[in-house]
Amino acid sequence: MATISTLGYALLCALHRGPLTGYDLVRKMRRPIGYYWTARQSQIYPELGRLSEAGLIAHESSPGPGPRERKTHRLTDAGRAALAAWLVEPPGDRAPRDEIVLKTYAQAAADPVEMRAFYLREAATYQELLDEFTRQHTELAANGGDSTSHPEFGAYATLELALIHYAGRVRWCSWLADRMGDRVTSPPPEG
Amino acid sequence: MATISTLGYALLCALHRGPLTGYDLVRKMRRPIGYYWTARQSQIYPELGRLSEAGLIAHESSPGPGPRERKTHRLTDAGRAALAAWLVEPPGDRAPRDEIVLKTYAQAAADPVEMRAFYLREAATYQELLDEFTRQHTELAANGGDSTSHPEFGAYATLELALIHYAGRVRWCSWLADRMGDRVTSPPPEG
DNA sequence: TTGCTCATGTAAGAAGTTACATGATTCA
DNA sequence: TGAATCATGTAACTTCTTACATGAGCAA
């Protein structure tokens, strides 16, 4: 049997609340799911084909706006079972690739004044995201999404992590901007 | 001129403190740099060739232990300048791919008892990482790494973020494990 | 009449993973 | 004698990105 890629499971996740077209999935993989799992259109359509072949999803066709048929995909029983089994498996440790941390590691090779400006900009960018997610979080909570019995509790829980995440980033970038100030006033021994 | 990939810059970052062999870089891309940027051996050796062709690094050869020569790579002036320029550029937003957040989004499709055990295991895993990074952080601080003039300040600053990051994850997973308890006692309306 | 949204797909290439290949030295 | 470390590289494959291609309906 063909093994399902994480992208495949991401699509099953996106379908767990009900049927969607490929195009709906393309949009979902931008936001909200795109906040923590992204895929492009060119990846999604072939993957839907593979999931269908594996019997995890099925679709109904209707006339589309363009030259091709519109397909509405849904989880099959096998798909729902595969998803349920995958959800409770420990995540395989993915390679972390975080550009800002990489830059911080080699921070000494850059000019401290420019580096300070860099961290101030990054702090502001993270703050904007934090504000936006805070707004979404508040709105969802007001609609009862903070209750485990609410269908959007999963989305609410991901927002909880986003708040923790971005608040931490803002704090860290601000701290580093501050520290770059030290580097300006007391440069390394060699001058 | 050929554009340098992020992997290329990661290698320049790794070389910013002094010359290293390809093998040294392979180890660095596991740890400590591997904590925030990973690459395999089969990616690193060809990339070194490209950086060399671009004039950003140069190497000296010496007899190696095996059938091939041992090469010690170092940044050229052009390489150091390219690195300094890249460091202060805003990071391009990379596609986030976080399996545990994806699973949380679709959490309702899994059994709450199993899901609770899942989050407890994840909390414990993150706690172990937090303990290890706390140990490293304390050790580096004791050696003066917390000062911006210290050559390992960059590594120290990355550990600062690691502590923020993993402490947040432990808190979030513990909270979710708790909430899965709610799901057990009050299941969704449909039963 | 130009551009956006809906809607589905393919092609070419870059980036990343897994596996193979060689061979000396050191340690248990 | 068998495994680990040092040391460099290639081949085959999967995954992901960028770009192309079609065409209806709608709004400025």
Side-chain angles (χ1 to χ4, degrees):
Chain A
M1 63 174 193
T3 52
I4 309 303
S5 68
T6 308
L7 168 62
Y9 285 112
L11 295 178
L12 298 184
C13 283
L15 289 168
H16 92 279
R17 299 249 333 257
L20 296 170
T21 67
Y23 193 73
D24 290 333
L25 287 164
V26 169
R27 277 180 307 181
K28 278 225 172 193
M29 297 311 269
R30 284 201 288 257
R31 111 199 84 86
I33 295 180
Y35 294 136
Y36 36 88
W37 204 274
T38 323
R40 303 300 171 105
Q41 184 170 328
S42 58
Q43 264 185 291
I44 291 169
Y45 286 103
E47 188 65 36
L48 285 171
R50 284 188 285 270
L51 290 172
S52 194
E53 248 186 279
L56 304 182
I57 61 172
H59 67 262
E60 276 164 32
S61 296
S62 54
R68 289 196 190 81
E69 287 191 308
R70 178 188 138 105
K71 296 176 187 171
T72 303
H73 305 271
R74 60 173 176 79
L75 293 183
T76 61
D77 288 344
R80 193 163 286 276
L83 175 59
W86 177 78
L87 286 172
V88 298
E89 261 171 44
D93 39 326
R94 278 224 137 215
R97 287 199 173 95
D98 197 332
E99 207 174 304
I100 197 170
V101 194
L102 181 59
K103 289 186 172 192
T104 297
Y105 175 81
Q107 140 279 141
D111 175 75
V113 175
E114 285 184 66
M115 209 66 211
R116 187 179 136 78
F118 166 83
Y119 284 119
L120 288 174
R121 279 196 308 271
E122 288 304 305
T125 305
Y126 284 132
Q127 182 67 53
E128 272 175 50
L129 288 164
L130 179 57
D131 292 343
E132 169 60 16
F133 288 125
T134 301
R135 203 190 54 69
Q136 289 182 29
H137 182 265
T138 307
E139 196 186 310
L140 236 183
N143 293 330
D146 55 345
S147 161
T148 48
S149 58
H150 193 280
E152 291 214 61
F153 177 75
Y156 175 80
T158 66
L159 283 170
E160 276 285 322
L161 184 64
L163 299 194
I164 293 173
H165 180 84
Y166 289 108
R169 294 262 160 166
V170 170
R171 202 148 54 82
W172 182 71
C173 285
S174 305
W175 169 74
L176 270 165
D178 237 55
R179 286 321 205 80
M180 291 302 107
D182 302 356
R183 272 189 63 205
V184 177
T185 50
S186 65
E190 32 165 18
Chain B
M1 65 172 194
T3 51
I4 310 302
S5 67
T6 309
L7 168 62
Y9 285 112
L11 295 178
L12 298 184
C13 282
L15 289 168
H16 92 280
R17 299 248 334 256
L20 295 170
T21 66
Y23 193 75
D24 290 333
L25 288 165
V26 170
R27 276 180 308 180
K28 278 223 171 192
M29 297 312 270
R30 283 200 289 256
R31 113 200 83 87
I33 296 181
Y35 294 137
Y36 35 89
W37 205 274
T38 323
R40 303 300 172 106
Q41 186 170 328
S42 59
Q43 264 184 292
I44 291 168
Y45 285 103
E47 187 64 36
L48 285 171
R50 284 188 285 270
L51 291 172
S52 194
E53 249 185 279
L56 304 182
I57 60 172
H59 67 262
E60 277 164 31
S61 295
S62 55
R68 291 196 190 80
E69 287 189 306
R70 181 187 136 106
K71 294 176 186 173
T72 304
H73 305 270
R74 59 173 177 79
L75 293 184
T76 60
D77 289 342
R80 193 163 287 277
L83 175 58
W86 178 78
L87 287 173
V88 298
E89 261 172 45
D93 39 323
R94 277 225 137 215
R97 287 200 174 94
D98 197 332
E99 206 175 305
I100 196 170
V101 194
L102 181 59
K103 289 185 173 190
T104 297
Y105 176 81
Q107 141 279 138
D111 174 75
V113 174
E114 284 183 67
M115 209 65 209
R116 185 179 137 79
F118 167 82
Y119 285 119
L120 289 174
R121 278 195 309 270
E122 287 305 305
T125 305
Y126 284 132
Q127 182 65 54
E128 272 176 50
L129 288 165
L130 179 57
D131 291 343
E132 169 59 17
F133 288 126
T134 301
R135 204 190 54 70
Q136 289 181 28
H137 182 265
T138 307
E139 197 186 310
L140 236 182
N143 292 331
D146 54 348
S147 161
T148 47
S149 58
H150 193 281
E152 292 214 60
F153 177 76
Y156 176 80
T158 64
L159 284 169
E160 276 286 322
L161 184 63
L163 300 193
I164 293 172
H165 180 83
Y166 289 108
R169 294 263 160 164
V170 169
R171 201 148 55 82
W172 182 69
C173 285
S174 303
W175 169 73
L176 270 165
D178 238 55
R179 285 322 205 80
M180 292 302 107
D182 302 357
R183 272 190 62 205
V184 177
T185 48
S186 65
E190 35 166 15

